[in-house]
Amino acid sequence: MYGYVIPDKPNMFIKDFATFKANYCGMCKAIGKRCGLLMRFSTSYDVTFLNVFAHSFLQKDFKYVKHNCVLHPFKRTPMAERDELTELVVDVNTMLLYYKVLDDVRDKDRRGRKVILGKLKRKYKKALKNANAFDAVLKFEYERLNAFEKAGCTRLDEIADCFGNIMAEAGKTILKEKFDDCTRTFFYQLGRWVYFADATDDLEKDFERGNYNPLIATFGNYVDRATFIADNKEDMEYLFKATETDIKNEYDKMNITICEGMLTNIIYMGLSAERKRIMEVTKCKKIRL
């Protein structure tokens, strides 16, 4: 996934950060076990959040154990043990990654992507066995997304709807019969937020490569990143803040108890902190564990 749904570390309790780190490391371990060592590169803040949220919403607590880490082989690190729910989240992550790389190949960003796509195909087919319905939605929405891009779509809400639907279906695949209107809106708006974040982050790269960017297509007059953000800051912030409000409203309706401090930090502080980082005139490095 994209790596934008992250905790606000400076405002996080130490216990919550330790729990997040254990879940991040556990997700890395789970991806390695299910998909092979090289797939660990797909571990992200987003998929860690997705796994923790799913466990909390479904009232399935984690078991934490110490394992050796591939990066720190002589130090045993606390990690969340994988279970069937985690493996389903891993499959959803694999499918999202496969279609993201496929889209990059179509988007003229072919440097090494075809090789990665070939490596991913076997993992994708394995994941497909658990999520056929999700695959159908992914295919449909990415085709719709590509059609919008080819047409140079200037209707930002309409094109963001594609990724909103993808994330809503991801939630439905993971939560199954517990998926409802509340969680649909939550995941849908989260998908839109991630799409806006990615588009903002890629402004300069897309312009230089001649790739479609929904923000440039909508607002136009791109000279450089600094000028574009300064000229359109009010409208861009409105897009982010409106989705953040919807995400918070739906989150507040849920009975979240497992890892509540961590999830609340991400929803209430992490998203806004990441939005501010992305909206900076010059790019800043992301916070890393």
Side-chain angles (χ1 to χ4, degrees):
M1 294 167 77
Y2 292 82
Y4 295 112
V5 185
I6 69 175
D8 181 25
K9 187 178 174 182
N11 290 302
M12 200 174 206
F13 289 119
I14 293 173
K15 66 179 181 63
D16 292 329
F17 180 72
T19 304
F20 183 86
K21 189 173 185 299
N23 277 280
Y24 186 93
C25 293
M27 177 54 65
C28 181
K29 191 87 168 178
I31 290 173
K33 287 287 185 182
R34 187 153 181 83
C35 303
L37 186 64
L38 289 177
M39 276 293 288
R40 287 189 176 199
F41 78 89
S42 70
T43 308
S44 68
Y45 294 105
D46 295 359
V47 71
T48 302
F49 169 82
L50 196 58
N51 190 44
V52 174
F53 175 85
H55 278 80
S56 185
F57 186 82
L58 296 175
Q59 297 292 303
K60 294 185 178 183
D61 212 342
F62 291 99
K63 178 183 177 183
Y64 295 97
V65 293
K66 287 188 175 182
H67 287 294
N68 293 100
C69 170
V70 68
L71 295 178
H72 306 96
F74 303 112
K75 180 183 177 183
R76 291 174 67 79
T77 306
M79 299 181 190
E81 283 275 69
R82 76 184 191 279
D83 53 21
E84 287 186 8
L85 183 56
T86 299
E87 290 189 349
L88 181 56
V89 173
V90 171
D91 287 342
V92 165
N93 180 61
T94 300
M95 295 176 74
L96 284 167
L97 179 64
Y98 177 80
Y99 275 92
K100 173 68 170 67
V101 174
L102 184 62
D103 190 56
D104 285 344
V105 171
R106 291 172 177 167
D107 200 23
K108 304 176 185 177
D109 193 3
R110 297 186 177 90
R111 294 173 299 177
R113 295 299 198 277
K114 285 188 176 181
V115 176
I116 296 172
L117 193 64
K119 298 288 185 184
L120 273 172
K121 200 156 192 176
R122 282 180 60 195
K123 316 299 181 187
Y124 159 74
K125 286 182 177 178
K126 181 180 178 181
L128 191 59
K129 295 174 183 177
N130 278 338
N132 260 311
F134 183 46
D135 182 68
V137 172
L138 273 168
K139 185 176 181 180
F140 175 81
E141 293 297 344
Y142 265 104
E143 285 176 354
R144 190 167 159 239
L145 195 62
N146 285 325
F148 280 139
E149 289 178 357
K150 286 178 182 177
C153 181
T154 58
R155 301 179 301 278
L156 197 53
D157 276 337
E158 195 169 348
I159 193 166
D161 178 69
C162 298
F163 208 75
N165 287 336
I166 286 171
M167 286 307 299
E169 189 63 26
K172 184 178 180 181
T173 302
I174 294 165
L175 302 181
K176 298 182 179 178
E177 66 274 4
K178 296 293 184 179
F179 186 74
D180 56 16
D181 289 342
C182 176
T183 47
R184 190 194 189 285
T185 302
F186 177 83
F187 278 104
Y188 176 82
Q189 293 297 346
L190 190 62
R192 282 167 50 87
W193 188 94
V194 169
Y195 186 77
F196 295 145
D198 188 56
T200 305
D201 222 13
D202 286 350
L203 279 169
E204 194 170 13
K205 182 183 76 174
D206 286 340
F207 180 75
E208 288 174 355
R209 295 180 182 177
N211 293 339
Y212 172 85
N213 184 290
L215 295 172
I216 296 174
T218 299
F219 299 121
N221 300 321
Y222 187 92
V223 177
D224 56 55
R225 180 182 175 83
T227 304
F228 185 85
I229 289 179
D231 290 346
N232 301 290
K233 188 172 184 178
E234 186 176 341
D235 289 331
M236 290 169 69
E237 284 195 333
Y238 173 79
L239 291 170
F240 279 109
K241 289 180 180 179
T243 57
E244 286 169 27
T245 298
D246 287 340
I247 290 166
K248 291 172 188 173
N249 288 342
E250 299 306 320
Y251 177 75
D252 287 343
K253 298 174 186 176
M254 302 174 190
N255 181 28
I256 299 294
T257 55
I258 298 167
C259 303
E260 182 274 331
M262 177 210 311
L263 292 172
T264 299
N265 172 277
I266 294 170
I267 297 298
Y268 272 88
M269 290 178 274
L271 294 182
S272 59
E274 185 68 355
R275 181 228 315 148
K276 290 171 185 174
R277 182 197 71 80
I278 293 166
M279 291 288 291
E280 288 289 333
V281 171
T282 56
K283 285 190 178 182
C284 302
K285 289 183 178 180
K286 293 184 182 181
I287 296 173
R288 294 297 175 191
L289 289 174

